[in-house]
Amino acid sequence: MTTELSDFEQNMRREIDAFMKPEKRPARKPPEALSGGTARPAGGDTSSDAFRTGHVVKLAVRTRQLEADTVFEHVSPSISRLEAQLEAEKAARQAGYPIIGHVIETRRL
């Protein structure tokens, strides 16, 4: 229990610091500018000093009622999990998937 609490405190401290000091964050492309409806950058920066906030949301989506589910992935810069999910659903509808089945996975960046 104490390790979960300390992990939570460390994560919150990192998110607050990243929010309070935006000049230290690297510039990011908006989700619409990324390729293929997914919000993954083609050549992402993997260095340890590039701290990113946000969530990656995977949704099960369909274009028709009796169609098999398709995975739609969206990267949101929001630190709120619920807001990231709502942004992903909106992006999926704009991409032409009117039926949102369920959330497959939500993970932090």
Side-chain angles (χ1 to χ4, degrees):
M1 177 84 175
T2 58
T3 59
E4 291 176 4
L5 184 59
S6 64
D7 289 343
F8 175 75
E9 289 175 349
Q10 289 174 355
N11 289 336
M12 290 307 294
R13 188 172 315 274
R14 268 190 259 132
E15 289 183 4
I16 290 171
D17 289 343
F19 179 75
M20 296 301 288
K21 299 173 187 150
E23 66 276 353
K24 298 206 179 212
R25 292 189 298 184
R28 288 185 272 164
K29 296 178 184 176
E32 303 85 33
L34 300 175
S35 62
T38 63
R40 287 204 181 265
D45 187 15
T46 57
S47 65
S48 62
D49 59 344
F51 182 73
R52 295 180 60 187
T53 59
H55 288 85
V56 177
V57 181
K58 291 184 181 179
L59 300 173
V61 295
R62 288 178 267 165
T63 55
R64 292 188 309 244
Q65 189 77 19
L66 298 175
E67 185 177 78
D69 287 341
T70 305
V71 177
F72 181 84
E73 189 173 298
H74 176 75
V75 175
S76 172
S78 174
I79 61 173
S80 168
R81 178 176 260 167
L82 180 61
E83 188 173 324
Q85 180 181 341
L86 292 174
E87 287 178 10
E89 290 176 2
K90 185 176 180 181
R93 286 190 183 96
Q94 288 177 349
Y97 296 102
I99 301 171
I100 310 296
H102 59 278
V103 176
I104 296 173
E105 177 186 15
T106 303
R107 63 180 170 87
R108 291 185 41 210
L109 289 177

